[in-house]
Amino acid sequence: MEETMRKLLLAGIAVAMMATPTFAANYRFVIVPKAMNNPFFDFARDGCLKRAKELGNIECIYKGPVEHEPATQAQIIQDFITQKVDGLAISVADVAAMTKSIEAATAAGIPVITFDADAPGSKRIAYIGTNNKEFGLALGKQLLKMRPDGGKYAMVSGGPGAKNLAERVDGVREALKGSKWVEVAGSPTFCNDDPALAVQQMTDMRTATPDLAAIVPIGGWPMFAPEGFKAFASRNKKDIDSGKFTLVVADTLKMQLELLRDGYANALVGQRPFEMGEKAMDTLLAIKKGEKVPEIVYTGLDLVTKDNVAQMLK
């Protein structure tokens, strides 16, 4: 009798163990921006944190260089490889440097995706972000729509080693090819994602070419220093209001929308960094589960002018 009871008890324990759900694995996914002093990436961070909390079994770690420094970004990634994190989402500051970092992470068994800025020749599994050629085309087409009469224009870029920015520059040029717009010598300038430097470069270009008819920053950097940008635009406000000088700027952060609303710019073409952060978590989790993921996920663009800026600010 006792032996029978013992067997029944053991059988019951076994059944209970089989019926008890296993706890979901906890993953540490890292989102690595080009620079943490760039407010654009704050939105990618927020999207990452929100999605990680919703999923429940993910920790979103956000860390990158304070300023745009590709060598520092590479070192940070190496540190995370040493820590054996479960996945990396990288905004590539320099394609050559990051291709090596991605290869090292992959060799260590850590899946890597890119967001915002890609390294397509690397071993990254997927890219999430903007179609940067289309982004540049949209900026150029907006300028052409506003000022079909043309004139001299210049662009402000970020880092010279970033493929996404080079694609935007190509897109602007392609959109304006065959028009009456002529790019000035020395364009684009490279601010290395430094907002104050971007504003200074705009000032220098306007001083060097007094009849400069437009500046197209292909990233939001000068507006990320709103007071500096406002001071620059105020000095040129008469020409902006009369249509002699046009500012078509990339990105649509709140500070930028407010500057556009108040008449300090003519148009914005924006990306969706919050969505990039969300989709980065979804994609890394799917990879860890062994699921097939799309190689390219485009998150779209938003065109903003004075006609719809109030709606965007709601």
Side-chain angles (χ1 to χ4, degrees):
M1 182 70 176
E2 289 182 3
E3 180 63 21
T4 302
M5 291 295 293
R6 188 180 71 84
K7 288 181 178 179
L8 288 171
L9 180 61
L10 289 173
I13 292 171
V15 170
M17 289 177 67
M18 291 173 64
T20 301
T22 57
F23 288 100
N26 290 318
Y27 297 114
R28 292 186 301 150
F29 293 151
V30 184
I31 190 162
V32 185
K34 291 181 187 177
M36 292 180 72
N37 67 349
N38 184 338
F40 174 87
F41 292 111
D42 290 349
F43 289 87
R45 174 202 64 201
D46 293 347
C48 170
L49 291 169
K50 173 180 175 288
R51 194 70 183 115
K53 184 177 180 180
E54 290 170 349
L55 293 167
N57 61 336
I58 290 175
E59 178 187 0
C60 169
I61 302 169
Y62 176 76
K63 185 176 181 180
V66 175
E67 298 179 345
H68 185 279
E69 295 175 339
T72 303
Q73 187 181 47
Q75 183 57 57
I76 287 169
I77 289 168
Q78 184 56 54
D79 292 343
F80 281 123
I81 294 172
T82 302
Q83 294 173 35
K84 297 181 180 180
V85 296
D86 297 296
L88 290 162
I90 304 168
S91 177
V92 176
D94 182 274
V95 172
M98 229 18 58
T99 296
K100 295 177 182 177
S101 296
I102 293 169
E103 184 173 352
T106 302
I110 300 171
V112 180
I113 64 173
T114 55
F115 78 99
D116 171 60
D118 195 14
S122 70
K123 292 186 177 181
R124 64 95 171 108
I125 298 170
Y127 164 72
I128 298 167
T130 303
N131 181 326
N132 285 287
K133 184 66 175 291
E134 291 297 324
F135 193 9
L137 284 167
L139 287 164
K141 287 176 181 177
Q142 186 58 37
L143 176 60
L144 190 58
K145 181 180 179 180
M146 290 185 154
R147 294 282 301 279
D149 53 311
K152 297 176 182 178
Y153 80 97
M155 288 183 275
V156 177
S157 186
K163 180 176 173 58
N164 66 322
L165 302 182
E167 290 175 347
R168 293 179 201 176
V169 167
D170 289 344
V172 172
R173 288 171 175 164
E174 185 175 318
L176 298 177
K177 186 177 180 180
S179 73
K180 296 179 181 179
W181 283 101
V182 178
E183 187 176 0
V184 299
S187 170
T189 60
F190 297 100
C191 70
N192 288 316
D193 291 18
D194 183 331
L197 180 57
V199 172
Q200 185 59 53
Q201 289 175 342
M202 292 175 67
T203 301
D204 293 344
M205 286 189 291
R206 186 78 162 132
T207 300
T209 309
D211 60 342
L212 190 67
I215 296 179
V216 182
I218 60 166
W221 313 288
M223 282 183 154
F224 297 162
E227 293 307 315
F229 184 87
K230 188 183 294 186
F232 167 82
S234 294
R235 291 192 297 270
N236 296 278
K237 197 71 165 60
K238 183 178 178 181
D239 286 345
I240 292 173
D241 291 343
S242 67
K244 290 177 60 179
F245 184 56
T246 303
L247 292 167
V248 178
V249 187
D251 297 327
T252 50
L253 275 60
K254 184 181 179 183
M255 65 187 77
Q256 296 180 268
L257 295 170
E258 291 171 346
L259 287 165
L260 174 61
R261 177 198 63 196
D262 296 340
Y264 295 105
N266 301 94
L268 303 174
V269 179
Q271 306 176 81
R272 296 169 182 170
F274 189 90
E275 188 175 338
M276 294 179 199
E278 288 183 308
K279 290 186 179 297
M281 296 300 98
D282 290 333
T283 302
L284 285 171
L285 182 59
I287 292 168
K288 293 299 289 186
K289 288 180 176 179
E291 299 172 7
K292 186 174 177 60
V293 298
E295 183 182 358
I296 305 291
V297 177
Y298 289 135
T299 47
L301 297 170
D302 296 303
L303 176 60
V304 187
T305 65
K306 64 180 182 179
D307 296 327
N308 65 334
V309 67
Q311 181 65 31
M312 289 290 289
L313 275 166
K314 287 183 178 178

